[in-house]
Amino acid sequence: MMAYLELLLSFFKLGLFGFGGGYAIVPLMQQEIAAHGWMSNGEFADIVAIAGTAPGPIVVNTASFVGYRTAGFVGSLAACLGVVLPSTLLVLLVSGIFSKFRKHPLNLMFFLRDPPRGNRAHCRSCRSDR
Amino acid sequence: MKRYVELLVVFFKIGLFTFGGGYAMIPLIEREIVEKRKWIGPRELTDMLAVSQSIPGGVAINAATMIGCRVKGKKGGVAATCGVVLPSYCVILLVALFFEKLNRNPVVKAAFSGIRPAVAALIALSAIRIGRSSIVDRIGLLSATLAAFLVVALNVQAIYVILGGAALGILIYLLWPAKTRFIAKQNRRSR
């Protein structure tokens, strides 16, 4: 039971502070895993490789895999939930505020008055990848 | 009720068929949500993606939650999130079940010894990508160098370094508000 709780809390922390998504969170995870002694760095690198190859978000894949290797099925569930919960709760919370405004609620956020063009560029680069 | 199921199914499909992480999902989200179903406009999607990059966690998950919320409220957000997470969770569980056995195979072992350096390169690539869009002046360079030094040399927990970065950003904003606006402008241009 303690092991599951530890996984949940650790990955909740990672989900909460993991800005940037994807491989940017991997070093944070590596530190957390090393601190708990859950597995060797080499083993973790293998897991990251598989997580990057499997479908879906890298963060979710890595967390689920580490959870499974550490504490079996329930462990994977705990780690996956832990890493997804913080941002989901955040979005759900913020969406309540958004929906109070009319029409184009997201535009009210100060940093969105001039949305970064990076996303468009990124979409385009992804499209050419396909 | 039908809408919730539809959200779940659409995002399940998106989650199942994108390889290579959250960013690879963006074109698919565009096609399924904006072009095919017209749930939101292209401009709104761009805004949503910007927000999902700014908040912690995976970009794809954040985008899914946000789109779900927009389409069908909080429950819609939960449905979309479950949809996008479920397929990858199931696939990973399946892989993890067989990984132990496979890993004893010498050929698989050999393959992974080649894959490990490639993973290091992928992480470095993500560092370069984020660095290019966020290090725009001497303060940025200084804080990046300081953060690297703290983590590598002094073995400080990365989470504290992130919190320290936030504190530094707020401090600079309080001391020189104009400077922050300048950096934000530079940021937009460099992207």
Side-chain angles (χ1 to χ4, degrees):
Chain A
M1 193 62 218
M2 264 323 275
Y4 303 142
L5 204 67
E6 218 176 302
L7 271 168
L8 186 81
L9 283 179
S10 281
F11 279 95
F12 191 89
K13 209 164 72 179
L14 291 170
L16 193 60
F17 290 103
F19 289 92
Y23 289 113
I25 303 185
V26 168
L28 279 172
M29 283 191 181
Q30 185 267 327
Q31 241 189 1
E32 191 70 25
I33 286 162
H36 284 89
W38 279 328
M39 60 182 67
S40 72
N41 284 342
E43 243 180 310
F44 180 59
D46 295 348
I47 286 179
V48 173
I50 296 168
T53 325
I58 293 162
V59 189
V60 175
N61 292 345
T62 315
S64 315
F65 209 140
V66 170
Y68 183 82
R69 295 277 285 168
T70 314
F73 174 70
V74 183
S76 75
L77 213 61
C80 182
L81 256 180
V83 89
V84 171
L85 266 182
S87 56
T88 306
L89 290 179
L90 207 71
V91 173
L92 290 181
L93 208 81
V94 175
S95 83
I97 303 165
F98 279 160
S99 57
K100 286 206 182 89
F101 301 110
R102 66 187 173 80
K103 214 183 154 199
H104 211 313
L106 290 178
N107 265 349
L108 283 169
M109 289 187 80
F110 66 99
F111 55 92
L112 282 178
R113 238 174 259 155
D114 183 10
R117 284 174 223 133
N119 296 306
R120 291 247 164 116
H122 211 107
C123 287
R124 222 175 288 133
S125 75
C126 288
R127 219 175 283 136
S128 63
D129 278 351
R130 272 194 298 154
Chain B
M1 193 59 219
K2 222 182 113 206
R3 224 352 113 70
Y4 297 133
V5 177
E6 205 179 348
L7 269 168
L8 191 86
V9 171
V10 168
F11 276 99
F12 191 91
K13 220 167 82 184
I14 292 173
L16 188 62
F17 291 118
T18 40
F19 295 86
Y23 285 109
M25 285 187 189
I26 294 172
L28 243 110
I29 291 178
E30 235 183 350
R31 205 175 57 208
E32 290 287 331
I33 308 296
V34 177
E35 284 167 29
K36 255 167 103 177
R37 290 184 174 75
K38 298 195 169 46
W39 282 341
I40 54 174
R43 174 137 183 109
E44 202 175 351
L45 182 70
T46 310
D47 291 352
M48 281 181 171
L49 290 174
V51 180
S52 37
Q53 279 176 322
S54 309
I55 54 183
V59 179
I61 309 164
N62 295 342
T65 318
M66 217 169 271
I67 292 167
C69 280
R70 171 71 175 70
V71 174
K72 204 79 181 91
K74 286 199 165 84
K75 281 182 207 157
V78 174
T81 312
C82 288
V84 88
V85 170
L86 261 178
S88 58
Y89 177 73
C90 295
V91 170
I92 279 294
L93 210 61
L94 220 68
V95 174
L97 279 171
F98 295 108
F99 184 66
E100 222 118 338
K101 243 184 238 162
L102 275 174
N103 212 18
R104 273 184 232 123
N105 186 315
V107 179
V108 175
K109 260 195 179 144
F112 271 109
S113 65
I115 288 172
R116 284 179 189 182
V119 171
L122 283 173
I123 297 170
L125 187 74
S126 134
I128 292 168
R129 192 187 286 153
I130 294 175
R132 260 217 307 242
S133 68
S134 57
I135 302 175
V136 288
D137 63 347
R138 263 175 289 176
I139 294 176
L141 190 65
L142 185 78
S143 90
T145 318
L146 193 69
F149 175 75
L150 286 173
V151 172
V152 175
L154 301 181
N155 216 3
V156 176
Q157 278 257 324
I159 286 167
Y160 296 128
V161 175
I162 291 176
L163 286 175
L168 186 72
I170 292 168
L171 188 75
I172 289 169
Y173 173 72
L174 288 177
L175 292 178
W176 304 284
K179 176 84 190 156
T180 316
R181 272 198 292 278
F182 173 73
I183 292 172
K185 219 164 127 194
Q186 285 273 309
N187 241 328
R188 277 201 286 273
R189 207 172 297 154
S190 73
R191 279 196 245 189

